[in-house]
Amino acid sequence: EAGVVQSPRYKIIEKKQPVAFWCNPISGHNTLYWYLQNLGQGPELLIRYENEEAVDDSQLPKDRFSAERLKGVDSTLKIQPAELGDSAVYLCASSPGLASYNEQFFGPGTRLTVL
Amino acid sequence: AQKVTQAQTEISVVEKEDVTLDCVYETRDTTYYLFWYKQPPSGELVFLIRRNSFDEQNEISGRYSWNFQKSTSSFNFTITASQVVDSAVYFCALSEPDSNYQLIWGAGTKLIIKP
């Protein structure tokens, strides 16, 4: 069974440019998460989807970040415009159930560098 | 106050030694879940275990074991006969209704196993 797929693995952009990350969760997993991870820290939740509905986006900086999961399968996270402080690893995870107490399965992440 | 505390920032041991990673949590809920994840140098977070608050039985999986003690709000992780491949950052996390079941992550413990 394929794991969580993310692309690209690495992205380098100039500040003020837009950037998008794509995630395909494990087949059949209803819940999808986007996290941000800074070096030496644990992941920070940005948004949680249950099917196509964003059920928790309270920590998503909505002035520049947006996300979508139109058909309840794959998802895209966008930053526009990117700032220097957005440099981090963006992780996508999925879980089979509709509640966060289920174990989450993570993708390899996208390492973003903003110059 | 931190809800999940991993006081050991970094631990270094020689291969074949046993090592225990500490995790102390804080919650007001009676129903909650505790997790351990491993993040090797490749970056992908790997699920290790989930424990619910009603199950205090210790768990053993090969060289890994977990000691859950509600009396001290701890969920410690022991690796027996450590191997170089165990080198990684290990995260403890809490999921509780009070936080809408978001995973609350500790800061992680970097484990270095020297050959």
Side-chain angles (χ1 to χ4, degrees):
Chain A
E1 180 182 295
V4 176
V5 179
Q6 289 188 250
S7 68
R9 290 295 311 277
Y10 304 91
K11 190 73 176 180
I12 300 174
I13 60 171
E14 301 275 338
K15 64 181 181 182
K16 299 185 182 179
Q17 293 298 306
V19 64
F21 314 124
W22 177 78
C23 172
N24 195 28
I26 293 173
S27 178
H29 280 196
N30 300 307
T31 307
L32 183 147
Y33 311 79
W34 282 103
Y35 288 93
L36 175 157
Q37 186 177 25
N38 287 305
L39 190 64
Q41 298 181 24
E44 301 170 28
L45 180 69
L46 292 172
I47 190 168
R48 172 166 65 105
Y49 282 95
E50 289 184 359
N51 298 307
E52 63 274 9
E53 183 182 357
V55 296
D56 187 351
D57 63 355
S58 57
Q59 296 177 77
L60 187 73
K62 297 181 183 66
D63 57 336
R64 297 184 299 107
F65 286 64
S66 64
E68 59 183 17
R69 193 186 185 198
L70 292 175
K71 296 181 180 178
V73 182
D74 59 342
S75 176
T76 302
L77 177 70
K78 297 178 182 177
I79 308 175
Q80 182 170 6
E83 296 178 352
L84 293 176
D86 295 331
S87 295
V89 176
Y90 291 82
L91 297 167
C92 180
S94 69
S95 65
L98 293 179
S100 288
Y101 56 74
N102 291 297
E103 52 265 41
Q104 298 178 25
F105 298 86
F106 285 80
T110 296
R111 183 176 296 278
L112 174 67
T113 302
V114 182
L115 302 175
Chain B
Q2 280 195 322
K3 289 209 160 197
V4 179
T5 302
Q6 294 181 256
Q8 304 146 310
T9 304
E10 183 174 306
I11 301 174
S12 181
V13 300
V14 176
E15 199 172 21
K16 298 184 184 176
E17 287 185 13
D18 298 347
V19 59
T20 295
L21 309 181
D22 297 333
C23 174
V24 174
Y25 63 92
E26 179 186 329
T27 181
R28 296 178 301 181
D29 291 306
T30 56
T31 301
Y32 53 90
Y33 300 83
L34 296 163
F35 299 79
W36 275 95
Y37 280 84
K38 173 182 180 180
Q39 189 170 40
S42 61
E44 192 162 333
L45 279 157
V46 178
F47 166 78
L48 295 178
I49 190 171
R50 178 187 67 174
R51 172 67 72 224
N52 77 57
S53 53
F54 297 108
D55 182 3
E56 284 194 77
Q57 196 170 15
N58 288 332
E59 177 98 5
I60 297 175
S61 176
R63 297 183 296 106
Y64 294 173
S65 62
W66 290 269
N67 184 351
F68 177 30
Q69 291 198 343
K70 289 176 76 170
S71 61
T72 56
S73 296
S74 65
F75 186 43
N76 296 338
F77 172 33
T78 297
I79 301 175
T80 304
S82 61
Q83 299 176 2
V84 173
V85 292
D86 296 327
S87 296
V89 178
Y90 290 86
F91 290 96
C92 179
L94 165 71
S95 175
E96 55 174 8
D98 199 37
S99 301
N100 198 25
Y101 286 115
Q102 276 191 33
L103 275 181
I104 302 166
W105 297 81
T109 296
K110 183 176 183 179
L111 178 63
I112 300 169
I113 311 296
K114 299 177 184 176

